[in-house]
Amino acid sequence: MAVVDIQNNDISVNQVFARNAFESMHNKLQFFKLVDRQLDSQWANNTNGYAQGDSYQIQRPARFKSRVGNMIGEFQSGTGTWETGDFVEDPITFAVSKADQINISTQFTSKDKTLALTDLKSRLGEGVGLQMATDLEKKVVGETVVKGGGYILATAGAASGSKIGIHSLLLAQARLDELATPTDKRSVLLPSAVMADLSREHQGLFTPNANEKIAISGYVNSFAGADMFSYNLLPKIVLPASTAAITVTTVSSSATEALAFTVTSDANVTLPAGAILEFDESFMVNPETRESTGVKYSFALTEELVLVALTESAIVKIDAAAKIWGPLDVGNRQNIDVLPVATKVVKIVGVDASVSKTYNQAVMFQENAYTATVIPLTTDLPGASAARADHDGFSIRTCVATSIGSDTVIHRFDGMSKGILQRDTYAVRILVEV
């Protein structure tokens, strides 16, 4: 009976830990609550939770083209069928791995455990939940925001020393509009220093005094068709000083395959993951009309790009959601007016010839630009007592195990998350020089 009582007590303690940690985590999360959460429904079918190793898909809507007139196409007499448009689905496949799981653990002696659990909320659960929220958010932001190729280089505001003006937000809004991004559920995340600059520019925009419907607690509440939030987990990006002239060396594409290409440089340069490049003579197209927007086609590196002067060319790695499709794509996914060919120039966005540049990054996006999820972990852990708190698409697990040899009790908290860029054209990074 004593063993059962202890075990039940451990389970009860784990449930309290999980609940307290979950509550503090849930209250702090922000990015997760602004993006698409379609993956949550995949986990709902398994109440026992998940472990690493499985692969899943996000199914993006197929694209179509219309024909003029009342004929659907030519009749194929050889097959007795009518010519119709191809229906091509374009899924994003991803795997859940160990790298998607994070944990926080602590240990006590059997005596300390009793003392430590006298104040469950403040001593373990609450603090763990706050840290877990930060770690999960930072992870998914790094898996999504920095992979988007859309950008605006911020221009200085009217106030002395301001690095960003309201015009930068309007340009970001215009870019989303030009690319047929839905106008609802748009958000802007800004580093705190950038939000402060922008708020100062904004205060007298519509009235001589601060407009309370627009400015909340000194910060801009909404502008340019988007809700705005001060956010401290967006990474900076550092670009090296460089005079490198980068050109396309080889290209590969077809009616069913996206563009793959390599580049070479006339000078040594190493560009970090997240750096944005653009083609000098190829432009974005409106995804519905397939007409050029006049905006140069830009893309982000998903891996560091190392170029050694006048040596072998390097493969450019971009995200699956940012594949480049030309006019001949049978899946109607065209997003560039003319595919680049060998010798075409590729420019590094924001680079300076003489000094390294550091940029704060803000981002304007529509909800469906990204998808993010917290994956419920299994509680089937032989040799340990485990419990999980789940609500509103979020989850956190806690477990306890005792090492008899050292008289040590270990409490462990785990979370698993995944962030995926879903529609590259639905987001714009705003680069603000530090």
Side-chain angles (χ1 to χ4, degrees):
M1 176 63 73
V3 173
V4 174
D5 287 340
I6 292 172
Q7 184 179 27
N8 287 337
N9 181 60
D10 281 342
I11 293 173
S12 176
V13 166
N14 284 329
Q15 289 171 341
V16 174
F17 276 162
R19 184 178 68 248
N20 289 338
F22 175 85
E23 288 175 355
S24 59
M25 179 187 78
H26 186 276
N27 292 339
K28 189 176 181 181
L29 292 172
Q30 188 166 19
F31 183 80
F32 278 100
K33 298 175 182 177
L34 298 175
V35 302
D36 173 66
R37 301 295 304 277
Q38 64 168 289
L39 287 171
D40 292 348
S41 60
Q42 294 203 34
W43 323 132
N45 296 326
N46 184 349
T47 57
N48 292 326
Y50 289 78
Q52 307 91 351
D54 294 331
S55 294
Y56 303 92
Q57 279 191 342
I58 295 175
Q59 193 66 53
R60 290 180 294 180
R63 298 280 301 282
F64 301 92
K65 281 185 179 179
S66 59
R67 285 189 172 95
V68 177
N70 67 344
M71 297 293 290
I72 63 174
E74 295 183 4
F75 182 72
Q76 311 295 314
S77 57
T79 60
T81 61
W82 291 88
E83 179 189 15
T84 59
D86 289 325
F87 182 85
V88 178
E89 294 184 312
D90 190 23
I92 298 174
T93 302
F94 67 96
V96 177
S97 69
K98 289 182 179 180
D100 296 315
Q101 184 173 339
I102 61 174
N103 73 82
I104 296 173
S105 60
T106 187
Q107 60 180 298
F108 308 89
T109 65
S110 56
K111 178 181 179 181
D112 289 338
K113 176 188 175 184
T114 305
L115 299 174
L117 302 186
T118 56
D119 187 356
L120 296 173
K121 185 173 182 181
S122 62
R123 294 198 70 172
L124 282 183
E126 188 174 70
V128 166
L130 293 173
Q131 185 62 50
M132 193 75 77
T134 295
D135 294 339
L136 292 176
E137 289 250 328
K138 186 175 180 180
K139 177 181 183 295
V140 297
V141 166
E143 293 171 332
T144 54
V145 172
V146 298
K147 294 182 178 181
Y151 80 94
I152 297 293
L153 280 174
T155 53
S160 175
S162 176
K163 298 293 182 67
I164 183 172
I166 56 174
H167 187 230
S168 300
L169 272 294
L170 295 174
L171 288 175
Q173 179 188 30
R175 182 184 173 100
L176 294 183
D177 291 346
E178 286 176 334
L179 296 177
T181 302
T183 56
D184 65 329
K185 297 181 179 178
R186 291 187 184 182
S187 304
V188 182
L189 298 178
L190 303 106
S192 301
V194 177
M195 173 65 99
D197 262 2
L198 191 66
S199 298
R200 179 174 56 168
E201 294 294 316
H202 201 292
Q203 290 300 305
L205 182 60
F206 299 108
T207 64
N209 301 313
N211 189 328
E212 292 183 359
K213 293 182 180 179
I214 298 170
I216 304 297
S217 300
Y219 280 166
V220 180
N221 185 41
S222 62
F223 184 63
D227 295 327
M228 302 182 69
F229 304 90
S230 177
Y231 191 72
N232 64 1
L233 296 179
L234 291 165
K236 291 181 173 64
I237 188 165
V238 181
L239 300 177
S242 178
T243 59
I246 301 175
T247 55
V248 176
T249 48
T250 62
V251 295
S252 173
S253 66
S254 70
T256 58
E257 296 293 332
L259 175 70
F261 64 102
T262 62
V263 295
T264 190
S265 172
D266 66 351
N268 295 347
V269 63
T270 298
L271 299 175
I276 300 173
L277 291 82
E278 66 182 10
F279 296 121
D280 200 31
E281 298 180 17
S282 295
F283 300 86
M284 304 282 294
V285 300
N286 181 301
E288 295 173 352
T289 66
R290 281 83 176 179
E291 296 176 352
S292 173
T293 63
V295 176
K296 291 181 180 180
Y297 194 99
S298 56
F299 54 92
L301 301 176
T302 57
E303 297 180 12
E304 181 182 75
L305 180 65
V306 180
L307 297 174
V308 180
L310 306 177
T311 62
E312 293 183 8
S313 55
I315 299 172
V316 175
K317 301 290 184 66
I318 60 176
D319 193 78
K323 290 179 180 179
I324 303 172
W325 300 96
L328 299 181
D329 171 53
V330 296
N332 305 312
R333 293 162 291 192
Q334 181 187 359
N335 52 20
I336 193 171
D337 62 345
V338 179
L339 288 172
V341 296
T343 74
K344 291 300 181 181
V345 174
V346 180
K347 292 186 175 180
I348 309 168
V349 173
V351 75
D352 188 276
S354 56
V355 296
S356 172
K357 290 279 190 176
T358 300
Y359 293 93
N360 278 311
Q361 298 186 94
V363 59
M364 177 183 286
F365 61 95
Q366 201 272 345
E367 177 187 66
N368 291 302
Y370 317 116
T371 189
T373 186
V374 177
I375 305 167
L377 286 159
T378 180
T379 54
D380 183 12
L381 301 174
S385 299
R388 201 178 65 228
D390 303 306
H391 175 65
D392 196 26
F394 300 102
S395 177
I396 196 168
R397 182 188 72 187
T398 185
C399 60
V400 62
T402 301
S403 174
I404 297 174
S406 61
D407 191 25
T408 300
V409 181
I410 298 175
H411 285 275
R412 171 171 170 158
F413 298 79
D414 288 82
M416 180 182 283
S417 66
K418 196 76 176 180
I420 297 169
L421 178 64
Q422 192 168 241
R423 291 177 175 86
D424 181 51
T425 55
Y426 281 18
V428 183
R429 278 193 276 168
I430 305 170
L431 304 183
V432 186
E433 188 174 348
V434 173

